[in-house]
Amino acid sequence: MRNKTQPQYSKSILIILTFMLFFIGSFLISQVTSFADTETDGTQNQITQSETSNDNNLDLENINEVIYKAQSTMIDVKVSVDGTMLKTDVSPKVVVETNRTLIPVRALFEQVGGTVLWNANEQTVTIRYNNHNIILVIDSKNATVDNMVTVLDQPATILPGDRTFIPLRFVAESLGFTVEWNGDTQTAMLTSPKISKPQAEDDPQASIYNSINSVGVSYGTSVLNTTITINSDNPISDTSYKAFTLSSPDRYVIDFYNSDASSSAKGTFGKNTNGGYVITAVRTAMFDDSTFRVVCDLNEVSTPAISLSSDRKTMTITFGEVSKPYNPWDDNKLVVVLDPGHGESTAGKRSPDNGESLREYEFNRDVAYRTKAELEKRGITVYLTVSDDTSDPSLAARYDYANSTNADIYVSIHANAFSPDGVTWTDARGWEIYYYPTSYYGKKLATAIHDANAGKIGINDRGIKTAEYAVISHTTMPAVLIEHGFFTNLEEVELLASSEFRQKCAELNAQGIVNFFNSFKK
C-alpha cells in the first residue's frame, strides 16, 4: 500500500508545484498512451497500461505520487464539543482537496462517551454511541449507519502514528450532533444531540404512539421527480415530525416522534445508481427507541414538497428534478470504466473440463482490452479496474475505484455459467445484460448495448434483465454487467475461446456504448 503520509505545503510552494506539474503533465501526455493510479479499499491498482519513451526515462509512479500528495494537503484545525475544546495530542485536520475535517476517533469519543472498536483484519472502525452504530472501512467511501449503507465523500483513514481519523461532519451528524464552522478560529464546533419531542399538552395527538406501516418510492417516467409515500396507522400531526437537512454527504431527513415501524417499513428503498434524480436512495430505521427516521440520500441539496392526505395517515414527499441532469458530454470528455470480472485465483469460473477449454478471467480480460482499444479509437478515455492479467480485486475495490474516477459509465464484462456440479456440460446458452432495477440511465445504457448486439452477436438473445449485483448497485454512474455466453455449454465455450468472437463482442459493445453517448448529444 502506498504511504499515505501527507506533507504540509505552504501555499506558495503548492502554487509553484502546481505549475511545475502542469508543464510536466503536458509533456507526458505526448509520451503516454494512458495511465491512472489509485487506491481502493487499501489495495493499490494501476488501472491502465502505461508506456514511457525509452528516451525520456521518466518515472510516472513518482510523478503521480507528487500529484497525489499535493492535491491531498492537510492543515491543522481545532474542534470543540459543547463549548469545550477537544483535547488530543494529534490535531484534527482539514483535507484541502475535499474541504472535509478529519478527527482522531478515540479523542472525540473519549470526551463525549461511546465505544470505539478496531478490527485490524477487516480494517474497520466501529463507533457505538447513544444506541447508534457506525461502521467505517479504512480508505473506503462505503459506510454503514445503523445497518444502512451510505457513500461518503471523504473516507476514514490512518495517518502517521497509526491514528485512525474519521470524517467529522458525517459521523457527528449521523449521531445527532450539530456541526458549525468558525473560520476566524479555524474551529469545528459540535453540539451534543438534544432531541426535543412534542409534549401532549402542546399537541393532543402527540401522546398517541404511532406506527409507520409502509414506505414507498416512485421515480417519474422521465427524470422529472421522485415521490416518497409514508403510510401511518394513525393521523400524522404537524408537530409529530421534524424535517431537516444534513450534509457531507447531502441528505434530507424526517424524524417521526413517538413512533415505531413495521419490519416492512425499515430498510433501503428505491435505490438508484445514476445522476438522473435528486434522490439516490431512501433509508429508514429507528433513530432511537421512539423516533423513526427516514433518510433521503441526495445527488444535490434539495427541499421537497410535503403534503398529507385528508385523513393525515399518508405523507407524500415530492422532489423535483436535478438542476443539472446527467449528460456525459457536459465536461467535453467521455470516460468509461471497464471491469473484467474475476481473476485467475477465483474459485470455479472455468469450463467443466477443469478449465481446459476456458478460464473465465481469460475471456473477460481479453474482451475488456479489445473493447478498450475500440473505444479509444473513438477518442473515449477508458480505465480498467485491474492492474494485470490475473489479479482479482475485491468487489468493493472495483466499485470504489470506479466511483473515484468521475467516469460517465461502468461496464462489467463476464461470461456465464450453469452447471449443477461444476463438471457437467449443460444446454444453457446465450447473451444477456443486467442493470440495477431502479437505475433510469442504467436501463438506457443496457438497452443501447443490447440493441447493438441483437441479431449480430450470433448467439441466443436472453435479453435485458435487472439484478442487484454489487458492482452495479454501488457504482454512482450508469452501470451494466454483460454475460457474453456460457462456458458450461460445449458449443458456446468454443466461441468464447476464439479470437474472432471476442473481437466481435468488443466491437459490438463499443458501438453500443457510443450509441448511448450519442443519444445525449444536444
Side-chain angles (χ1 to χ4, degrees):
M1 180 185 294
R2 171 183 294 141
N3 186 345
K4 284 185 171 291
T5 302
Q6 307 294 343
Q8 297 188 18
Y9 297 97
S10 67
K11 290 185 178 178
S12 60
I13 293 175
L14 186 56
I15 292 171
I16 294 171
L17 179 59
T18 301
F19 279 103
M20 290 175 62
L21 292 175
F22 173 80
F23 288 112
I24 293 172
S26 299
F27 176 74
L28 288 176
I29 288 173
S30 66
Q31 306 296 323
V32 183
T33 301
S34 64
F35 75 94
D37 188 5
T38 188
E39 292 185 358
T40 52
D41 262 11
T43 302
Q44 179 173 318
N45 287 316
Q46 294 181 347
I47 305 302
T48 59
Q49 296 175 333
S50 59
E51 299 175 359
T52 58
S53 168
N54 292 331
D55 296 331
N56 59 54
N57 196 29
L58 291 174
D59 186 346
L60 294 182
E61 181 71 20
N62 289 339
I63 292 293
N64 212 37
E65 177 77 1
V66 174
I67 294 173
Y68 174 83
K69 291 181 177 179
Q71 289 180 337
S72 300
T73 301
M74 294 184 179
I75 59 175
D76 291 348
V77 294
K78 294 175 285 188
V79 174
S80 69
V81 182
D82 296 330
T84 302
M85 297 304 298
L86 183 69
K87 297 178 180 180
T88 173
D89 58 349
V90 180
S91 298
K93 315 285 184 184
V94 165
V95 181
V96 174
E97 183 183 11
T98 60
N99 197 29
R100 296 295 179 230
T101 301
L102 293 175
I103 187 171
V105 60
R106 292 195 182 278
L108 173 61
F109 287 97
E110 284 175 359
Q111 181 162 325
V112 303
T115 304
V116 178
L117 303 175
W118 168 249
N119 186 318
N121 292 330
E122 297 182 2
Q123 291 286 286
T124 60
V125 56
T126 300
I127 301 165
R128 295 174 181 170
Y129 176 79
N130 203 20
N131 295 321
H132 299 296
N133 196 65
I134 296 178
I135 302 175
L136 302 168
V137 182
I138 297 301
D139 296 329
S140 172
K141 291 187 177 181
N142 292 303
T144 303
V145 181
D146 295 333
N147 296 318
M148 296 189 292
V149 177
T150 190
V151 178
L152 309 173
D153 55 7
Q154 177 67 54
T157 191
I158 296 177
L159 294 182
D162 289 332
R163 301 299 180 87
T164 301
F165 279 68
I166 61 173
L168 174 63
R169 183 176 291 274
F170 170 79
V171 172
E173 291 184 343
S174 295
L175 297 175
F177 289 80
T178 58
V179 183
E180 297 179 277
W181 175 253
N182 186 323
D184 294 334
T185 62
Q186 294 288 283
T187 303
M189 300 176 293
L190 276 66
T191 303
S192 297
K194 297 179 178 64
I195 299 176
S196 176
K197 299 183 181 182
Q199 302 299 316
E201 58 267 22
D202 299 325
D203 178 7
Q205 293 189 39
S207 61
I208 300 175
Y209 200 77
N210 205 0
S211 180
I212 307 299
N213 54 52
S214 68
V215 174
V217 180
S218 174
Y219 289 101
T221 54
S222 64
V223 294
L224 295 181
N225 58 66
T226 305
T227 302
I228 302 164
T229 304
I230 301 169
N231 294 306
S232 169
D233 284 344
N234 294 305
I236 302 170
S237 69
D238 292 336
T239 56
S240 65
Y241 71 91
K242 178 183 178 181
F244 53 97
T245 59
L246 296 174
S247 59
S248 301
D250 294 321
R251 289 154 289 163
Y252 187 82
V253 180
I254 303 176
D255 280 345
F256 292 88
Y257 302 132
N258 299 315
S259 299
D260 62 9
S262 66
S263 59
S264 60
K266 299 175 185 176
T268 300
F269 303 88
K271 184 174 181 178
N272 80 83
T273 57
N274 63 73
Y277 299 94
V278 169
I279 295 291
T280 60
V282 176
R283 300 175 290 116
T284 65
M286 295 302 298
F287 184 72
D288 57 32
D289 291 341
S290 60
T291 304
F292 177 66
R293 172 165 286 189
V294 177
V295 179
C296 305
D297 292 326
L298 305 177
N299 269 323
E300 64 182 27
V301 177
S302 179
T303 302
I306 297 180
S307 61
L308 291 166
S309 61
S310 57
D311 63 2
R312 303 184 72 89
K313 293 184 179 182
T314 300
M315 174 181 286
T316 302
I317 307 162
T318 303
F319 286 88
E321 63 181 314
V322 292
S323 59
K324 190 176 182 181
Y326 170 85
N327 189 329
W329 294 93
D330 282 345
D331 57 0
N332 297 314
K333 182 180 181 182
L334 300 176
V335 180
V336 175
V337 171
L338 293 179
D339 174 36
H342 309 299
E344 184 178 27
S345 61
T346 308
K349 307 306 178 185
R350 64 193 67 192
S351 54
D353 53 0
N354 198 31
E356 290 186 14
S357 296
L358 186 72
R359 301 279 295 277
E360 185 188 347
Y361 84 93
E362 298 169 341
F363 172 85
N364 299 344
R365 292 293 203 277
D366 193 11
V367 172
Y369 296 152
R370 292 170 185 260
T371 304
K372 179 176 183 291
E374 291 298 320
L375 292 171
E376 289 177 339
K377 288 178 184 177
R378 297 162 170 84
I380 298 172
T381 299
V382 181
Y383 299 138
L384 297 174
T385 61
V386 295
S387 60
D388 54 50
D389 291 340
T390 60
S391 63
D392 188 15
S394 68
L395 296 177
R398 293 169 188 267
Y399 57 69
D400 272 354
Y401 171 70
N403 293 340
S404 75
T405 63
N406 197 32
D408 296 302
I409 64 170
Y410 176 98
V411 178
S412 189
I413 294 174
H414 290 258
N416 219 335
F418 176 71
S419 176
D421 53 12
V423 296
T424 301
W425 298 94
T426 62
D427 292 332
R429 64 182 66 212
W431 182 101
E432 60 195 16
I433 188 167
Y434 291 85
Y435 69 94
Y436 191 80
T438 56
S439 177
Y440 175 82
Y441 291 118
K443 181 179 181 179
K444 188 171 183 177
L445 174 60
T447 301
I449 296 175
H450 169 269
D451 290 352
N453 278 270
K456 299 177 182 178
I457 191 63
I459 59 177
N460 181 45
D461 183 1
R462 296 167 63 94
I464 303 170
K465 301 180 179 181
T466 62
E468 297 186 8
Y469 300 135
V471 292
I472 59 176
S473 63
H474 290 288
T475 38
T476 56
M477 70 289 294
V480 295
L481 185 149
I482 309 173
E483 298 279 10
H484 288 86
F486 283 77
F487 55 82
T488 51
N489 181 289
L490 276 169
E491 295 178 2
E492 288 192 352
V493 75
E494 291 185 8
L495 284 175
L496 294 169
S498 70
S499 176
E500 294 78 13
F501 182 76
R502 293 178 182 185
Q503 184 61 28
K504 181 188 293 187
C505 290
E507 292 174 357
L508 294 175
N509 290 342
Q511 187 58 55
I513 290 170
V514 169
N515 292 346
F516 171 79
F517 285 145
N518 286 342
S519 70
F520 290 89
K521 280 189 173 180
K522 297 177 181 179

